[in-house]
Amino acid sequence: MPETELEHERAHLKAARTALTRMRERTEALDVAAADPIAAAYLARTLYYRAQALRDDPGTALFFGRLDTDGGERWYVGRRHVGDEHGDPLVIDWRAEVSGAFYRATRTEPLGVVLRRRFGIAGGEITAYEDEHLTDTGESETKSAILAAEIERPRVGPMRDIVATIQPEQDLIVRAGADTSVCVQGAPGTGKTAVGLHRAAWLLYAHRDRLSRQGVLVVGPNRAFLDHIGAVLPALGEVRVGHTTVADMFATRPVKATDTPAVATLKGDPRMAEMLRRFVWSHVVAPTEPLVAPRGSRKWRVPAYEVGDLVDELRGRGARYHAAREMLPHRLAHAVLVQMERAGDSPDDRVQDAVARSSAVKTYAAALWPVLDPAKLLHRLLSDSDTLAAAAGDLLSPDEQAALLWERPAKTSGSAKWSVADLVLLDELRDLLDRTPSLGHVIVDEAQDLSPMQLRAVGRRCTTGSVTVLGDIAQGTTPWATGSWNEALRHLGKTDAHIEVLDRGFRVPASVIRYAARLLPRIAPGLGAPQSVRDNPGRLDVHAVTAGEELDWLVALAISVTAAPGSVGLIVPDPRVAEASAALGRAGLEHGVLGADHGDVNHQIDIVPASVAKGLEFDRVVVLEPAQIVAAEPDERTGLRRLYVALTRAVSELDVIHSTPLPADLTATSPAA
């Protein structure tokens, strides 16, 4: 490539960096003085976030591509917009409309692009470029070496953005409209998590005023996963997106109890929603006495049957329990005013308000429609068999009701020991009593693992917004994992969502995909195997070792694979995490240990419990004792799905160590098949 052309591109990068520094310094120098202290604080916070978004990362280039159009325009595509001192763009944001052609233009549909240039980047500097002449029909189409190198580039630490490597099918999902809910069935290595995060960034760019006000939330399976993905959105200039785990979303009370898988599955069953609804509304009492409302020297009487009609009307409005309760005194007061008018009086709205606030009306209404507390309700429901039976009716069998009841009920809700599933039920009760506020957009990853009740809870956080659902049916590792995205979307309340399938694997090599896909007929019948599109098939080695030598092999392989750059994940059965860490420690190997409640992804080597591996990826992976990973789960299908997850975390190389026989599905054919 011409050296003068390369120097020209490097000079443009230098100019863009200088301009970005000037933009940030100008933002930081702005005066936030305002007469209103609240307005001043809001402005200061806005400017702070703006300055944070304008920080340069010296390890990356400000742009990764260039478009030359048939109209003579030239656009440099990067992670954020950068303008010169005159306001002319030196770099356009990858989310801008014109940037879409960088990802979607082809020779058959060039979208007005004459030339697409990709840049090779190392240490924040341009090292090479690669051109595609989209209007040259005589040029043979070849795969991009720069694109392949970026996808396969070794990495240590948190997940990085993929703005330089977004594929056309991914870009279509990223740029789906703000009012469109999308469900992505994504096989391992297809980039579904990255697509969801980049969709959040695009939505905030295209609909910033609306979504900054309404909020965007990312929901992940555990804290290690959130730590792994936590740097992506800030790198794209978005620092005001909420991140939470599924458990933390409901953590209004400490978790001090653990349900058996069977009980947890029952508590996550959608029938629980109907039972709780019945239980809440059973507290509304049918009136047996008339309302007597003193006003001045007279007493006004509203018959019980008329009050009953008012109560029935409020119950049928679809309002939340407490919202309808607040309406009852006003309905009763209106009935009193009707009688006043019939008697020849001319009461106005002030009289109606006074009647509604009167002690007689408030006391009467409270007796019919009491205030409820969700914790007290659930405590009573799970403590008293008669109460539970009345609420369950024909929804639950006697055996199911018996399974739900606490063996040793606490005396009060304050001293009750709640489980994770109980907190989801509390969330349902809170929403029955008072509406849950809706966000503008929610992105929920690994959604196949959510129970129907958890899906309902996520759905009510975006009732007026949209949702991006990410997952893989084959990676469902809970006893209640969904078997159908249509079913999951129904529980979310988003039956109109578009279901998109990503089955081209960019991050997992072909040898690993083929090996792990042997499990698919058992764990997800009918689901097609993902297809690796990389030229590099990767490396797969299966090591049958003598019992007692597993940890020695683990240490030896850890030493071997760390000789090359890139991250290493040692995925082990959960009960063996401590001994694996001790073995590495004795060998002097520095490493991190991931957990469901924390991530430690800045080491080259991480020990990963099999239960935490989902959503993570490493350049090289060692899986210890697949049969033990399977056996640790409550049933074989769930165990094989957990193993499928573990086997598909490798970007380049996979080693499998076993002294116990491998699951039969993995040994049906040779690994090279």
Side-chain angles (χ1 to χ4, degrees):
M1 60 190 66
E3 186 67 22
T4 53
E5 183 71 7
L6 192 60
E7 289 303 320
H8 171 78
E9 301 293 20
R10 288 170 175 165
H12 190 82
L13 174 59
K14 183 178 180 180
R17 282 212 154 101
T18 300
L20 181 65
T21 300
R22 183 173 57 251
M23 291 168 66
R24 188 182 72 252
E25 290 174 346
R26 186 182 304 152
T27 299
E28 293 172 340
L30 290 174
D31 186 6
V32 297
D36 182 355
I38 296 178
Y42 178 81
L43 179 59
R45 184 178 63 176
T46 301
L47 291 176
Y48 168 78
Y49 285 130
R50 171 65 175 165
Q52 290 296 106
L54 292 172
R55 290 195 175 278
D56 189 13
D57 179 359
T60 63
L62 285 177
F63 54 82
F64 47 81
R66 193 185 96 185
L67 291 175
D68 293 1
T69 72
D70 53 13
E73 297 170 308
R74 175 172 294 175
W75 306 107
Y76 287 85
V77 181
R79 286 170 174 78
R80 59 178 59 81
H81 173 86
V82 180
D84 63 16
E85 62 271 21
H86 306 296
D88 295 325
L90 295 173
V91 181
I92 58 171
D93 197 299
W94 67 276
R95 298 168 289 186
E97 185 175 354
V98 69
S99 299
F102 180 79
Y103 301 108
R104 300 189 198 178
T106 64
R107 282 194 173 86
T108 54
E109 291 186 66
L111 303 179
V113 176
V114 175
L115 178 143
R116 172 168 51 205
R117 173 169 291 180
R118 298 182 188 274
F119 294 103
I121 309 294
E125 294 298 329
I126 298 174
T127 58
Y129 64 85
E130 186 179 73
D131 288 344
E132 294 177 80
H133 299 276
L134 299 183
T135 56
D136 188 350
T137 56
E139 184 178 324
S140 60
E141 194 159 350
T142 59
K143 291 186 177 181
S144 168
I146 286 179
L147 185 64
E150 174 61 22
I151 290 174
E152 299 177 20
R153 179 161 57 100
R155 59 197 66 189
V156 173
M159 179 181 179
R160 295 197 299 258
D161 66 69
I162 62 165
V163 289
T165 63
I166 293 175
Q167 299 299 293
E169 66 268 32
Q170 296 173 328
D171 190 62
L172 287 170
I173 298 171
V174 167
R175 296 174 192 263
D179 296 323
T180 302
S181 290
V182 179
C183 175
V184 180
Q185 161 60 37
T190 56
K192 59 182 176 295
T193 295
V195 166
L197 295 173
H198 288 68
R199 175 155 169 70
W202 182 84
L203 287 170
L204 284 165
Y205 174 87
H207 307 276
R208 186 167 303 279
D209 289 344
R210 169 182 162 188
L211 291 180
S212 293
R213 182 177 66 255
Q214 296 177 340
V216 175
L217 180 67
V218 176
V219 182
N222 53 56
R223 182 56 53 184
F225 175 84
L226 293 185
D227 288 346
H228 179 62
I229 68 169
V232 174
L233 287 170
L236 298 175
E238 301 300 342
V239 295
R240 287 186 284 181
V241 176
H243 291 71
T244 185
T245 66
V246 177
D248 288 345
M249 181 183 291
F250 314 117
T252 54
R253 291 168 180 265
V255 174
K256 296 184 178 180
T258 302
D259 292 315
T260 65
V263 172
T265 301
L266 179 57
K267 289 180 178 179
D269 191 287
R271 292 175 295 166
M272 296 297 293
E274 174 59 20
M275 185 184 74
L276 295 178
R277 188 196 67 80
R278 289 181 184 179
F279 185 46
V280 165
W281 288 96
S282 70
H283 289 78
V284 179
V285 180
T288 58
E289 299 292 334
L291 166 67
V292 179
R295 178 67 182 172
S297 60
R298 297 192 59 177
K299 292 183 179 179
W300 303 93
R301 297 170 63 88
V302 181
Y305 72 85
E306 189 174 334
V307 175
D309 290 342
L310 294 176
V311 170
D312 290 342
E313 186 267 332
L314 288 174
R315 290 184 59 144
R317 288 175 62 90
R320 296 304 192 267
Y321 177 92
H322 282 152
R325 181 184 183 275
E326 292 297 316
M327 300 177 196
L328 181 57
H330 296 279
R331 294 291 193 276
L332 295 173
H334 179 74
V336 171
L337 257 66
V338 170
Q339 292 195 20
M340 289 181 177
E341 290 173 344
R342 288 173 180 168
D345 291 345
S346 300
D348 56 19
D349 290 344
R350 289 174 297 177
V351 174
Q352 180 171 335
D353 290 341
V355 172
R357 293 195 304 269
S358 68
S359 175
V361 171
K362 290 172 66 176
T363 301
Y364 183 87
L368 299 179
W369 209 304
V371 173
L372 300 180
D373 175 81
K376 292 179 180 178
L377 287 174
L378 190 58
H379 172 262
R380 186 151 57 93
L381 197 62
L382 300 182
S383 300
D384 185 80
S385 58
D386 292 338
T387 300
L388 180 59
D394 58 353
L395 286 173
L396 304 178
S397 70
D399 288 343
E400 289 175 322
Q401 294 177 37
L404 286 177
L405 286 169
W406 287 330
E407 290 184 10
R408 300 182 189 81
K411 291 184 178 180
T412 66
S413 61
S415 60
K417 294 182 178 180
W418 306 102
S419 68
V420 171
D422 291 335
L423 297 186
V424 180
L425 299 181
L426 283 175
D427 193 78
E428 181 83 21
L429 282 168
R430 276 191 294 271
D431 187 68
L432 287 166
L433 300 177
D434 300 286
R435 186 180 298 276
T436 302
S438 176
L439 296 162
H441 193 81
V442 175
I443 296 166
V444 53
D445 207 344
E446 305 298 348
Q448 75 281 345
D449 277 340
L450 301 189
S451 70
M453 293 299 288
Q454 288 173 323
L455 289 167
R456 286 175 58 86
V458 172
R460 57 179 162 263
R461 283 163 172 79
C462 53
T463 50
T464 60
S466 54
V467 64
T468 298
V469 180
L470 310 168
D472 179 10
I473 297 295
Q475 296 185 56
T477 52
T478 56
W480 49 81
T482 187
S484 161
W485 285 123
N486 286 323
E487 177 187 352
L489 291 170
R490 179 168 56 82
H491 294 311
L492 274 167
K494 299 293 183 182
T495 55
D496 59 342
H498 296 274
I499 299 178
E500 305 288 345
V501 176
L502 295 179
D503 56 7
R504 294 205 307 151
F506 304 99
R507 298 289 295 162
V508 183
S511 61
V512 173
I513 280 289
R514 287 198 300 267
Y515 185 62
R518 296 175 184 176
L519 300 173
L520 286 176
R522 287 282 302 281
I523 64 177
L527 193 66
Q531 301 297 317
S532 177
V533 298
R534 289 164 48 180
D535 291 330
N536 181 357
R539 178 182 65 79
L540 167 68
D541 287 313
V542 180
H543 311 276
V545 305
T546 304
E549 295 182 351
E550 306 94 339
L551 294 180
D552 294 335
W553 273 82
L554 185 72
V555 170
L557 284 172
I559 294 172
S560 173
V561 297
T562 51
S567 58
V568 177
L570 308 179
I571 303 179
V572 304
D574 285 37
R576 305 195 67 172
V577 169
E579 60 176 315
S581 180
L584 264 63
R586 288 192 296 271
L589 292 176
E590 183 181 352
H591 61 280
V593 179
L594 305 190
D597 60 346
H598 68 279
D600 190 8
V601 292
N602 289 315
H603 295 86
Q604 184 179 13
I605 303 176
D606 281 307
I607 292 180
V608 187
S611 63
V612 179
K614 189 172 296 180
L616 307 180
E617 63 178 29
F618 304 89
D619 291 292
R620 288 171 292 282
V621 168
V622 180
V623 174
L624 180 69
E625 291 293 7
Q628 293 180 17
I629 292 175
V630 175
E633 299 299 328
D635 60 82
E636 186 182 37
R637 189 196 72 161
T638 302
L640 290 173
R641 285 182 168 186
R642 182 75 70 189
L643 177 58
Y644 179 76
V645 171
L647 294 174
T648 54
R649 300 305 96 197
V651 175
S652 299
E653 301 175 5
L654 172 65
D655 287 278
V656 178
I657 302 171
H658 72 98
S659 62
T660 53
L662 292 171
D665 302 87
L666 288 181
T667 58
T669 55
S670 66

